[in-house]
PDB file of all heavy atoms in Angstrom:
ATOM      1  N   LYS A 104      24.697-123.973-121.924  1.00  0.00           N
ATOM      2  CA  LYS A 104      24.469-125.167-121.166  1.00  0.00           C
ATOM      3  C   LYS A 104      22.985-125.481-120.925  1.00  0.00           C
ATOM      4  O   LYS A 104      22.608-126.592-120.656  1.00  0.00           O
ATOM      5  CB  LYS A 104      25.105-125.064-119.762  1.00  0.00           C
ATOM      6  CG  LYS A 104      26.645-124.856-119.857  1.00  0.00           C
ATOM      7  CD  LYS A 104      27.326-126.031-120.431  1.00  0.00           C
ATOM      8  CE  LYS A 104      28.858-125.855-120.405  1.00  0.00           C
ATOM      9  NZ  LYS A 104      29.609-126.929-121.061  1.00  0.00           N
ATOM     10  N   SER A 105      22.121-124.452-121.222  1.00  0.00           N
ATOM     11  CA  SER A 105      20.704-124.663-121.005  1.00  0.00           C
ATOM     12  C   SER A 105      19.960-125.431-122.058  1.00  0.00           C
ATOM     13  O   SER A 105      18.927-125.957-121.845  1.00  0.00           O
ATOM     14  CB  SER A 105      20.004-123.221-120.895  1.00  0.00           C
ATOM     15  OG  SER A 105      20.189-122.565-122.123  1.00  0.00           O
ATOM     16  N   LEU A 106      20.656-125.588-123.231  1.00  0.00           N
ATOM     17  CA  LEU A 106      19.915-126.266-124.304  1.00  0.00           C
ATOM     18  C   LEU A 106      20.603-127.601-124.657  1.00  0.00           C
ATOM     19  O   LEU A 106      20.393-128.139-125.730  1.00  0.00           O
ATOM     20  CB  LEU A 106      19.944-125.361-125.536  1.00  0.00           C
ATOM     21  CG  LEU A 106      19.023-124.108-125.423  1.00  0.00           C
ATOM     22  CD1 LEU A 106      19.172-123.239-126.654  1.00  0.00           C
ATOM     23  CD2 LEU A 106      17.602-124.501-125.146  1.00  0.00           C
ATOM     24  N   ILE A 107      21.440-128.085-123.781  1.00  0.00           N
ATOM     25  CA  ILE A 107      22.052-129.356-124.013  1.00  0.00           C
ATOM     26  C   ILE A 107      21.062-130.509-123.899  1.00  0.00           C
ATOM     27  O   ILE A 107      20.301-130.567-122.916  1.00  0.00           O
ATOM     28  CB  ILE A 107      23.236-129.616-123.065  1.00  0.00           C
ATOM     29  CG1 ILE A 107      24.410-128.639-123.358  1.00  0.00           C
ATOM     30  CG2 ILE A 107      23.766-131.060-123.119  1.00  0.00           C
ATOM     31  CD1 ILE A 107      25.590-128.788-122.428  1.00  0.00           C
ATOM     32  N   VAL A 108      20.999-131.409-124.877  1.00  0.00           N
ATOM     33  CA  VAL A 108      20.111-132.561-124.851  1.00  0.00           C
ATOM     34  C   VAL A 108      20.903-133.799-124.501  1.00  0.00           C
ATOM     35  O   VAL A 108      21.905-134.108-125.156  1.00  0.00           O
ATOM     36  CB  VAL A 108      19.347-132.752-126.169  1.00  0.00           C
ATOM     37  CG1 VAL A 108      18.484-133.955-126.128  1.00  0.00           C
ATOM     38  CG2 VAL A 108      18.596-131.490-126.584  1.00  0.00           C
ATOM     39  N   THR A 109      20.450-134.437-123.431  1.00  0.00           N
ATOM     40  CA  THR A 109      21.181-135.652-122.981  1.00  0.00           C
ATOM     41  C   THR A 109      20.725-136.927-123.762  1.00  0.00           C
ATOM     42  O   THR A 109      19.576-136.939-124.269  1.00  0.00           O
ATOM     43  CB  THR A 109      21.025-135.917-121.476  1.00  0.00           C
ATOM     44  OG1 THR A 109      19.656-136.244-121.236  1.00  0.00           O
ATOM     45  CG2 THR A 109      21.393-134.656-120.678  1.00  0.00           C
ATOM     46  N   LYS A 110      21.542-137.922-123.726  1.00  0.00           N
ATOM     47  CA  LYS A 110      21.170-139.191-124.435  1.00  0.00           C
ATOM     48  C   LYS A 110      20.097-139.901-123.727  1.00  0.00           C
ATOM     49  O   LYS A 110      19.513-140.898-124.297  1.00  0.00           O
ATOM     50  CB  LYS A 110      22.382-140.057-124.628  1.00  0.00           C
ATOM     51  CG  LYS A 110      23.452-139.558-125.595  1.00  0.00           C
ATOM     52  CD  LYS A 110      24.596-140.532-125.776  1.00  0.00           C
ATOM     53  CE  LYS A 110      25.544-140.002-126.848  1.00  0.00           C
ATOM     54  NZ  LYS A 110      26.639-140.983-127.161  1.00  0.00           N
ATOM     55  N   GLN A 111      19.812-139.575-122.480  1.00  0.00           N
ATOM     56  CA  GLN A 111      18.786-140.188-121.742  1.00  0.00           C
ATOM     57  C   GLN A 111      17.439-139.527-121.906  1.00  0.00           C
ATOM     58  O   GLN A 111      16.366-140.050-121.491  1.00  0.00           O
ATOM     59  CB  GLN A 111      19.083-140.234-120.234  1.00  0.00           C
ATOM     60  CG  GLN A 111      20.215-141.206-119.857  1.00  0.00           C
ATOM     61  CD  GLN A 111      21.570-140.776-120.352  1.00  0.00           C
ATOM     62  OE1 GLN A 111      21.923-139.602-120.249  1.00  0.00           O
ATOM     63  NE2 GLN A 111      22.375-141.639-120.804  1.00  0.00           N
ATOM     64  N   SER A 112      17.374-138.374-122.616  1.00  0.00           N
ATOM     65  CA  SER A 112      16.152-137.641-122.784  1.00  0.00           C
ATOM     66  C   SER A 112      15.275-138.254-123.867  1.00  0.00           C
ATOM     67  O   SER A 112      15.768-138.915-124.790  1.00  0.00           O
ATOM     68  CB  SER A 112      16.443-136.146-123.168  1.00  0.00           C
ATOM     69  OG  SER A 112      17.055-136.130-124.425  1.00  0.00           O
ATOM     70  N   SER A 113      13.954-138.123-123.701  1.00  0.00           N
ATOM     71  CA  SER A 113      13.051-138.625-124.713  1.00  0.00           C
ATOM     72  C   SER A 113      13.245-137.934-126.101  1.00  0.00           C
ATOM     73  O   SER A 113      12.992-138.517-127.146  1.00  0.00           O
ATOM     74  CB  SER A 113      11.558-138.475-124.207  1.00  0.00           C
ATOM     75  OG  SER A 113      11.261-137.114-124.023  1.00  0.00           O
ATOM     76  N   ARG A 114      13.657-136.690-126.014  1.00  0.00           N
ATOM     77  CA  ARG A 114      13.816-135.825-127.230  1.00  0.00           C
ATOM     78  C   ARG A 114      14.943-136.549-128.101  1.00  0.00           C
ATOM     79  O   ARG A 114      14.813-136.699-129.331  1.00  0.00           O
ATOM     80  CB  ARG A 114      14.251-134.486-126.866  1.00  0.00           C
ATOM     81  CG  ARG A 114      14.243-133.450-127.946  1.00  0.00           C
ATOM     82  CD  ARG A 114      14.393-132.081-127.378  1.00  0.00           C
ATOM     83  NE  ARG A 114      14.164-131.072-128.390  1.00  0.00           N
ATOM     84  CZ  ARG A 114      14.134-129.756-128.166  1.00  0.00           C
ATOM     85  NH1 ARG A 114      14.313-129.313-126.932  1.00  0.00           N
ATOM     86  NH2 ARG A 114      13.921-128.890-129.148  1.00  0.00           N
ATOM     87  N   TYR A 115      16.047-136.971-127.445  1.00  0.00           N
ATOM     88  CA  TYR A 115      17.154-137.618-128.170  1.00  0.00           C
ATOM     89  C   TYR A 115      16.709-139.040-128.622  1.00  0.00           C
ATOM     90  O   TYR A 115      16.998-139.453-129.744  1.00  0.00           O
ATOM     91  CB  TYR A 115      18.381-137.660-127.292  1.00  0.00           C
ATOM     92  CG  TYR A 115      19.489-138.510-127.876  1.00  0.00           C
ATOM     93  CD1 TYR A 115      20.354-138.020-128.847  1.00  0.00           C
ATOM     94  CD2 TYR A 115      19.661-139.866-127.472  1.00  0.00           C
ATOM     95  CE1 TYR A 115      21.357-138.691-129.319  1.00  0.00           C
ATOM     96  CE2 TYR A 115      20.705-140.614-128.027  1.00  0.00           C
ATOM     97  CZ  TYR A 115      21.552-140.081-128.924  1.00  0.00           C
ATOM     98  OH  TYR A 115      22.531-140.854-129.483  1.00  0.00           O
ATOM     99  N   ARG A 116      16.086-139.708-127.708  1.00  0.00           N
ATOM    100  CA  ARG A 116      15.756-141.133-128.051  1.00  0.00           C
ATOM    101  C   ARG A 116      14.721-141.238-129.195  1.00  0.00           C
ATOM    102  O   ARG A 116      14.818-142.192-130.027  1.00  0.00           O
ATOM    103  CB  ARG A 116      15.063-141.829-126.787  1.00  0.00           C
ATOM    104  CG  ARG A 116      16.161-142.139-125.771  1.00  0.00           C
ATOM    105  CD  ARG A 116      15.560-142.670-124.506  1.00  0.00           C
ATOM    106  NE  ARG A 116      16.576-143.235-123.535  1.00  0.00           N
ATOM    107  CZ  ARG A 116      16.426-143.393-122.293  1.00  0.00           C
ATOM    108  NH1 ARG A 116      15.229-143.079-121.707  1.00  0.00           N
ATOM    109  NH2 ARG A 116      17.361-143.903-121.525  1.00  0.00           N
ATOM    110  N   LYS A 117      13.850-140.254-129.331  1.00  0.00           N
ATOM    111  CA  LYS A 117      12.940-140.234-130.539  1.00  0.00           C
ATOM    112  C   LYS A 117      13.701-140.147-131.827  1.00  0.00           C
ATOM    113  O   LYS A 117      13.491-140.894-132.744  1.00  0.00           O
ATOM    114  CB  LYS A 117      11.972-139.082-130.379  1.00  0.00           C
ATOM    115  CG  LYS A 117      10.874-139.259-129.353  1.00  0.00           C
ATOM    116  CD  LYS A 117       9.958-138.035-129.366  1.00  0.00           C
ATOM    117  CE  LYS A 117       8.849-138.194-128.334  1.00  0.00           C
ATOM    118  NZ  LYS A 117       8.001-136.958-128.350  1.00  0.00           N
ATOM    119  N   LEU A 118      14.658-139.300-131.813  1.00  0.00           N
ATOM    120  CA  LEU A 118      15.478-139.085-133.045  1.00  0.00           C
ATOM    121  C   LEU A 118      16.394-140.313-133.305  1.00  0.00           C
ATOM    122  O   LEU A 118      16.566-140.739-134.457  1.00  0.00           O
ATOM    123  CB  LEU A 118      16.313-137.801-132.932  1.00  0.00           C
ATOM    124  CG  LEU A 118      15.542-136.514-132.942  1.00  0.00           C
ATOM    125  CD1 LEU A 118      16.517-135.362-132.596  1.00  0.00           C
ATOM    126  CD2 LEU A 118      14.830-136.305-134.190  1.00  0.00           C
ATOM    127  N   LEU A 119      16.935-140.817-132.260  1.00  0.00           N
ATOM    128  CA  LEU A 119      17.761-142.075-132.418  1.00  0.00           C
ATOM    129  C   LEU A 119      16.924-143.242-132.972  1.00  0.00           C
ATOM    130  O   LEU A 119      17.434-143.893-133.854  1.00  0.00           O
ATOM    131  CB  LEU A 119      18.344-142.451-131.016  1.00  0.00           C
ATOM    132  CG  LEU A 119      19.117-143.783-130.921  1.00  0.00           C
ATOM    133  CD1 LEU A 119      20.368-143.742-131.851  1.00  0.00           C
ATOM    134  CD2 LEU A 119      19.485-144.060-129.485  1.00  0.00           C
ATOM    135  N   ALA A 120      15.775-143.387-132.463  1.00  0.00           N
ATOM    136  CA  ALA A 120      14.958-144.493-132.968  1.00  0.00           C
ATOM    137  C   ALA A 120      14.625-144.292-134.472  1.00  0.00           C
ATOM    138  O   ALA A 120      14.553-145.240-135.197  1.00  0.00           O
ATOM    139  CB  ALA A 120      13.643-144.580-132.147  1.00  0.00           C
TER     140      ALA A 120
END
Side-chain angles (χ1 to χ4, degrees):
K104 300 297 182 183
S105 60
L106 294 176
I107 293 179
V108 177
T109 66
K110 290 186 176 182
Q111 288 71 40
S112 67
S113 61
R114 194 169 188 174
Y115 172 82
R116 283 172 173 163
K117 285 181 181 180
L118 294 173
L119 173 62

